[in-house]
Amino acid sequence: MIDGPGSLIGQSASPIRVEVHKGRAVSVSGRGREAAQLRSIKETVANADNIAEFGIGLNGACRQNGRFEEEKKGRGNVHIALGDNTFYGGSVQSPVHLDLVIYRPTVHLDDRVLVEDGTVRLS
């Protein structure tokens, strides 16, 4: 559930659901212009459905200000990116790289909870 700002789409008034299977966004649903725009990009731009990046924000000084560039780094936020991953050493090329912020996520890695309801549990 994308409930924070995203590159190219901005801040949505309601959450956008992105369903992922085997490293690809297989569906985008939600209300509003931003969901429709993200769905259109995924469906019409080459490799825009690729999960290119996953990041956990650790910077406690970042503000929640509607700007994905800052918010994606905010402590306890998570962001995923769709599209090109060649900058990070990947092999999938796309004309887009869309960062999408998630507020108050819970992230599990195997049997460890890394982030719980937006609180970083790394130790």
Side-chain angles (χ1 to χ4, degrees), residues 103-117:
Y103 299 138
R104 302 181 61 98
T106 296
V107 178
H108 296 263
L109 179 63
D110 296 328
D111 60 346
R112 291 188 63 198
V113 177
L114 302 181
V115 181
E116 184 174 22
D117 195 29

Side-chain angles (χ1 to χ4, degrees), residues 49-96:
D49 62 341
N50 179 57
I51 301 300
E53 176 185 4
F54 176 86
I56 297 172
L58 298 176
N59 189 335
C62 288
R63 300 165 293 166
Q64 188 169 328
N65 59 10
R67 294 182 173 171
F68 78 90
E69 299 96 332
E70 183 167 3
E71 289 198 21
K72 72 180 189 175
K73 300 169 189 165
R75 186 167 184 84
N77 288 345
V78 161
H79 79 280
I80 64 166
L82 300 177
D84 192 278
N85 68 3
T86 58
F87 181 77
Y88 300 105
S91 60
V92 178
Q93 294 182 348
S94 178
V96 296

Side-chain angles (χ1 to χ4, degrees), residues 3-31:
D3 56 355
S7 56
L8 300 180
I9 66 167
Q11 176 76 50
S12 181
S14 60
I16 301 170
R17 179 182 172 89
V18 178
E19 185 177 340
V20 176
H21 183 70
K22 294 186 177 183
R24 296 284 177 161
V26 295
S27 70
V28 174
S29 58
R31 295 176 291 168

